[in-house]
Structures are given as C-alpha cells and as structure tokens.
Amino acid sequence: MVNFHNRKSRSRERPQSAQQQNLDKQILYLHKAMAEKIIANHGFIPQIQHTIETRYASGKMRHGAYLFWSTLLEYVHEPEIFINQVLDESPQITKYRRQTAFVGVLTEEERQAVLEQLIF
C-alpha cells in the first residue's frame, strides 16, 4: 500500500497532552471495531465511499485524506493490510482517523461497548 506518512519535519510536532493521547487511543479502538465490521460486511463500502466523495467535494476533506480513505477501501478484501493501515499509529494516519470516513458503521451500543472495554 502507498505510504501516507507525513513528510513534514517531526521537530515541529508538539507533544500531545494526556487528554489528547487518551482520545486518540479511544479513536484507535473504535477504528479497530469499525474495520472488523467493514471486513465482515462489505455493505458499508458504498456508504463510506459516499462520505469520502461528499466531504472531498465540499472541501471538508483535504486531498491527502481523500487519497488515504479512497485507497484504503481498495484493500478491504485483504483484511490484514486493511486493518494494519487503519490502525497505523503514524501522526498522519492518527490525524486522518480523527475525521474518519467510517461514520455510521458502529451503532451507539457497539461504540459504547468498545469504549467501556478501555475503562476496564
């Protein structure tokens, strides 16, 4: 898969607060659950593609994020690659996950169940 790591100088990155680190951890776990659900049910793909296209067309998604999410969907039939890319912990992919294209994949109950696992 194409490497989407940010090429900017790492020296300009600010250290994350504990709150931001916790939020990114929650988002990571939610994406793991969403990726597994998407792999199990490819019926979510048209919905995700629509989200990507709509956000990009309206200017709410930058070109790099558009390329990441669009290319990522091409790997849904290769679960290991798909999951590895979704869960990549590089700063750029972490940033993309904060504005996920996977909206509506998890129900509120599923989302709460994932977040509750983080507490215990």
Side-chain angles (χ1 to χ4, degrees):
M1 182 159 185
V2 177
N3 185 346
F4 289 99
H5 296 270
N6 192 349
R7 289 181 174 82
K8 289 182 185 175
S9 170
R10 300 288 185 234
S11 63
R12 287 191 268 169
E13 290 180 15
R14 295 184 198 130
Q16 286 188 323
S17 68
Q19 182 180 12
Q20 188 63 53
Q21 288 175 351
N22 188 45
L23 182 59
D24 284 337
K25 182 178 177 183
Q26 291 174 4
I27 291 169
L28 183 69
Y29 278 81
L30 289 167
H31 275 79
K32 181 178 187 302
M34 288 185 283
E36 289 169 352
K37 191 169 178 180
I38 292 164
I39 289 168
N41 182 355
H42 293 173
F44 288 106
I45 295 172
Q47 168 190 322
I48 296 165
Q49 288 172 324
H50 178 73
T51 298
I52 294 166
E53 296 299 330
T54 302
R55 285 185 183 175
Y56 186 63
S58 69
K60 293 180 181 178
M61 180 181 285
R62 298 189 69 152
H63 191 68
Y66 175 80
L67 289 175
F68 171 74
W69 292 112
S70 298
T71 304
L72 179 66
L73 291 180
E74 294 177 16
Y75 289 88
V76 75
H77 300 289
E78 298 181 52
E80 186 175 328
I81 294 172
F82 183 77
I83 296 251
N84 285 340
Q85 290 300 307
V86 170
L87 302 181
D88 186 298
E89 293 193 53
S90 69
Q92 193 63 43
I93 305 306
T94 299
K95 180 180 172 182
Y96 292 155
R97 278 194 303 265
R98 290 180 196 144
Q99 295 184 340
T100 188
F102 292 172
V103 293
V105 171
L106 295 180
T107 65
E108 185 58 28
E109 293 78 19
E110 291 168 329
R111 194 176 93 53
Q112 287 301 319
V114 169
L115 295 176
E116 285 173 12
Q117 289 176 356
L118 288 172
I119 296 171
F120 300 107

